Amino acid sequence: MDAVKQDTVNKIILDPQYADYLALIKAARNGAVYGAKVRFPHALVMVFLFRSGPLREKLALIFKATRTHARNLAKFAVAYKSTMVLLRRASPSGKEESFHTFLAGLTGGYLVFGRGIQSSVNQQIVIYVFARVVLALAKLSIQKRREGGVGLGWEMREKVQRNAWPVFASLSWAMVMWVFRWYPETIQPSLRSSMKYIYEDSDHWDSFRNFLIHNK
């Protein structure tokens, strides 16, 4: 009986007519698992390093951050892939078009990350994605020009390739240090805590103990 059930399940999950729907379930699963794997160790370290309070409160914060990250990546995966399916089926050709991914990402980004009050976890995810996009576009800009593609002329590629990363890294650190110094309340809380630990707390001590052994 178990073998019969297993064969039935395999026939269903391997049936092409269900592929789009099953892909949504798999995307939600993978988004949740990846989000939990990424966020849990990060939250564990950040909470125990920079948060005070009882153990139960710290564990609750870790669980909340991990759940939020996992849930939102799962929700985005479902929103994105659902939109891709709808756009593909609405297309006259019945095939994926180049702009579908942009529209699907726009839809998922708004539904999951763009609406309502933004948590620190959501902000971190979006900022991470934004930084990676900027770097990817810099690389894209120096690729050789292709028919229908993008890219700078050869005379500009070498300059961009040589200077893009130094400029990006330097300006990023220049801006974050300036904002932290004069408008620290605008910085995402976990980043602000870590920067305070490194750059402000290092100016204060009253004994050898809190000079090298402990921060305070």
Side-chain angles (χ1 to χ4, degrees):
M1 183 63 69
D2 290 339
V4 173
K5 290 181 179 179
Q6 185 174 351
D7 288 341
T8 302
V9 171
N10 286 334
K11 287 181 181 179
I12 294 174
I13 64 176
L14 296 177
D15 192 328
Q17 67 175 323
Y18 302 126
D20 287 340
Y21 307 105
L22 295 174
L24 299 181
I25 298 175
K26 183 67 180 290
R29 180 265 179 198
N30 285 3
V33 170
Y34 183 81
K37 286 183 176 180
V38 169
R39 177 56 56 173
F40 177 75
H42 176 270
L44 183 69
V45 172
M46 296 302 292
V47 167
F48 277 96
L49 277 180
F50 300 112
R51 292 276 189 170
S52 58
L55 177 62
R56 185 172 182 178
E57 182 179 320
K58 290 181 178 180
L59 293 177
L61 289 172
I62 294 169
F63 173 76
K64 180 179 179 182
T66 302
R67 181 186 61 185
T68 300
H69 200 137
R71 180 187 62 202
N72 286 354
L73 286 189
K75 288 168 63 177
F76 179 84
V78 172
Y80 171 79
K81 294 186 76 69
S82 297
T83 305
M84 287 293 292
V85 170
L86 293 175
L87 290 172
R88 187 180 73 244
R89 292 184 177 183
S91 174
S93 66
K95 298 180 179 179
E96 178 183 330
E97 304 291 342
S98 61
F99 63 90
H100 287 178
T101 52
F102 181 86
L103 291 180
L106 188 71
T107 301
Y110 173 73
L111 292 176
V112 180
F113 298 103
R115 298 187 302 171
I117 299 175
Q118 295 307 309
S119 67
S120 60
V121 172
N122 276 4
Q123 291 179 1
Q124 289 171 5
I125 294 172
V126 173
I127 291 169
Y128 175 88
V129 169
F130 173 77
R132 294 304 186 269
V133 168
V134 171
L135 291 177
L137 291 178
K139 293 178 181 178
L140 187 62
S141 70
I142 62 175
Q143 290 182 358
K144 292 182 178 180
R145 195 185 303 274
R146 299 186 304 236
E147 181 179 355
V150 296
L152 300 176
W154 69 268
E155 68 278 1
M156 290 294 295
R157 289 203 301 270
E158 184 178 353
K159 291 182 179 180
V160 174
Q161 188 172 23
R162 184 172 61 250
N163 297 313
W165 175 255
V167 170
F168 177 75
S170 302
L171 287 178
S172 295
W173 278 101
M175 290 302 299
V176 77
M177 297 310 298
W178 181 82
V179 173
F180 173 71
R181 176 64 180 86
W182 301 109
Y183 306 97
E185 70 280 359
T186 64
I187 294 180
Q188 193 273 333
S190 65
L191 175 60
R192 183 171 65 243
S193 296
S194 62
M195 294 184 72
K196 181 179 183 299
Y197 183 87
I198 297 172
Y199 305 111
E200 286 189 354
D201 291 354
S202 59
D203 289 334
H204 306 284
W205 63 88
D206 58 18
S207 68
F208 181 78
R209 182 178 182 276
N210 58 23
F211 176 65
L212 283 182
I213 301 176
H214 292 284
N215 179 47
K216 291 182 179 180

